[in-house]
Amino acid sequence: PMNYRAGDWVEIRSKNEILASLDKNGRLEGLPFMPHMFKFCGRKFKVYKRAHKTCDTVNKTGGRRLSNGVHLDLRCDGEAYGGCQAACLIFWKEAWLKPASDAGSAVFQSSESERLRDVPTTEATGCSEEDVWAATRAQDLQDPSDGPRYVCQATQLPHFTSPLPWWDIRQYLEDYMSGNATFSRILRGLVYANYYNLSQAGIGLGRPLRWLYDRFQSLREGIPFPRRTGAIPVGQATPTCTLNLQPGELVRVKSYKEILATLDKRSKNRGLYFDAEMVPYCGGTYRVRTRLTKFLDEKTGRLITTKNPAIILEGVWCESRYSDCRMFCPRSIYSWWRETWLERIHATQRGESELLAEVPSSMQKDQGS
């Protein structure tokens, strides 16, 4: 293992090298190599985060441990999976990467056979690109009439990871050593987690502790207590709004208070959960990335078409600031927004760059929770 750190430059190995590392199902240690990843072969990218851990979005068991994995700033395009629009961050095994070389460096001018010797291979399975494509569909369909059942990294996550207890302090040390999180971010996160657990202890301190939290944060222009629920009774209709937002448009996220007014007591609006990780983005200006209408159900592999489109915003994803049992997860899953939580901006009198700079102070570097 190379133990790449966030910010390191790497080169993705050639198609032949990667195929030599895969089993007949197109996997290495259970992690699928997905077809659209081939187009990045031979190119250089910066490590976004070390993927030594992740969150279980299949069985909701909390944190999961992953060996020898990294995230580059590359996301799934959904082409091999029915046009899924979730744009998940891709997992890469270190065996598929090598340190990026400078042009003309003799250190990296080895022959194809020499490079292949450095890549772990499976037992002569002879994996081909066609095998990788075939592995995107489940072969044990019980009811083909329901449509294809897809297999991707997200659906297979429980099979290439292992349980990671939140109390295993080694993960936080690796968060820091890998460059995934600063010491101050880790410290603030752990303070918040303990404060939140105390507020939920059922000893009558919840309301005053939340008030004290908000009071302290208002003095430093920080993020208010992020785990509040709406007041609309479950089962009663929640507010709706149709803006017909399209990719490229500018929007402003409404205030936390305005969004809370649209949520039921489970913090949902028409079934879509408003997560605490979305609170830091309230009040900010962003560009629409995707109008999401279909995505893979990670538990079943079925392609789901949404009844009500959700909006994905550029650069707006989960940072695992407040996530129980999975603090500092590097997966950076895009947040999904209802249009009623957003308002369209018409950039007529002010420049787009100025509007996009209007990010709440709570989102600035190292401001944190």
Side-chain angles (χ1 to χ4, degrees), residues 96-348:
W96 300 335
L97 311 172
K98 59 184 177 182
S101 62
D102 294 328
S105 173
V107 176
F108 296 94
Q109 290 180 350
S110 57
S111 66
E112 180 75 8
S113 60
E114 289 174 328
R115 291 199 302 271
L116 286 172
R117 286 205 302 266
D118 295 331
V119 183
T121 59
T122 53
E123 294 183 0
T125 55
C127 183
S128 65
E129 186 172 355
E130 290 73 22
D131 293 327
V132 173
W133 274 97
T136 62
R137 304 290 185 95
Q139 303 301 318
D140 57 342
L141 291 178
Q142 296 180 352
D143 187 2
S145 63
D146 289 341
R149 185 159 62 87
Y150 294 97
V151 179
C152 68
Q153 290 184 346
T155 66
Q156 295 302 110
L157 189 140
H159 303 289
F160 62 82
T161 59
S162 58
L164 177 61
W166 66 265
W167 61 83
D168 188 340
I169 196 171
R170 293 172 297 178
Q171 65 177 297
Y172 307 117
L173 179 61
E174 188 162 0
D175 286 330
Y176 174 71
M177 296 297 292
S178 67
N180 281 12
T182 63
F183 178 78
S184 59
R185 169 62 66 86
I186 294 172
L187 180 61
R188 289 195 306 269
L190 296 179
V191 168
Y192 165 79
N194 284 283
Y195 194 95
Y196 172 73
N197 289 331
L198 181 61
S199 72
Q200 299 295 109
I203 55 178
L205 294 178
R207 181 172 294 180
L209 284 176
R210 288 190 290 272
W211 178 88
L212 184 62
Y213 187 102
D214 285 344
R215 179 62 178 166
F216 175 75
Q217 290 293 80
S218 66
L219 294 175
R220 63 192 293 264
E221 297 185 349
I223 302 166
F225 192 80
R227 290 199 177 276
R228 299 184 183 276
T229 60
I232 300 174
V234 175
Q236 184 173 319
T238 51
T240 183
C241 174
T242 302
L243 300 178
N244 195 30
L245 294 169
Q246 300 299 319
E249 291 194 77
L250 289 176
V251 296
R252 180 176 288 111
V253 178
K254 292 182 179 179
S255 70
Y256 187 25
K257 183 177 180 180
E258 289 176 297
I259 292 176
L260 282 174
T262 72
L263 306 178
D264 64 21
K265 293 184 177 180
R266 297 179 301 179
S267 295
K268 292 184 177 182
N269 179 285
R270 289 172 292 151
L272 184 60
Y273 183 66
F274 183 83
D275 188 73
E277 299 295 340
M278 302 166 73
V279 176
Y281 298 103
C282 290
T285 300
Y286 308 96
R287 191 180 301 281
V288 175
R289 183 186 195 276
T290 307
R291 185 175 180 84
L292 186 143
T293 58
K294 51 186 177 180
F295 65 96
L296 283 191
D297 182 324
E298 295 177 3
K299 195 172 186 66
T300 66
R302 302 292 186 186
L303 190 67
I304 305 297
T305 300
T306 62
K307 295 180 180 179
N308 301 288
I311 302 298
I312 291 178
L313 305 177
E314 290 283 2
V316 176
W317 50 66
C318 171
E319 293 192 352
S320 293
R321 297 166 180 248
Y322 314 111
S323 302
D324 298 341
C325 303
R326 47 189 175 89
M327 297 288 285
F328 320 118
C329 168
R331 196 172 173 187
S332 301
I333 297 174
Y334 275 120
S335 302
W336 295 7
W337 301 82
R338 287 286 184 226
E339 287 189 322
T340 193
W341 300 338
L342 310 171
E343 54 186 1
R344 179 183 276 110
I345 290 178
H346 298 286
T348 54

Side-chain angles (χ1 to χ4, degrees), residues 32-94:
F33 188 89
M34 300 183 292
H36 58 278
M37 296 166 68
F38 282 120
K39 65 185 178 184
F40 302 118
C41 287
R43 297 171 59 186
K44 299 175 185 179
F45 297 93
K46 185 181 291 187
V47 173
Y48 169 63
K49 295 283 182 70
R50 190 152 86 213
H52 66 98
K53 65 180 182 181
T54 191
C55 52
D56 184 358
T57 50
V58 178
N59 298 317
K60 315 296 182 184
T61 60
R64 306 284 295 182
R65 190 191 311 275
L66 172 65
S67 63
N68 307 327
V70 301
H71 290 302
L72 309 179
D73 194 11
L74 298 171
R75 292 182 178 269
C76 176
D77 62 13
E79 180 182 349
Y81 305 100
C84 172
Q85 298 171 304
C88 297
L89 205 60
I90 300 171
F91 291 93
W92 296 85
K93 279 291 189 180
E94 290 185 345

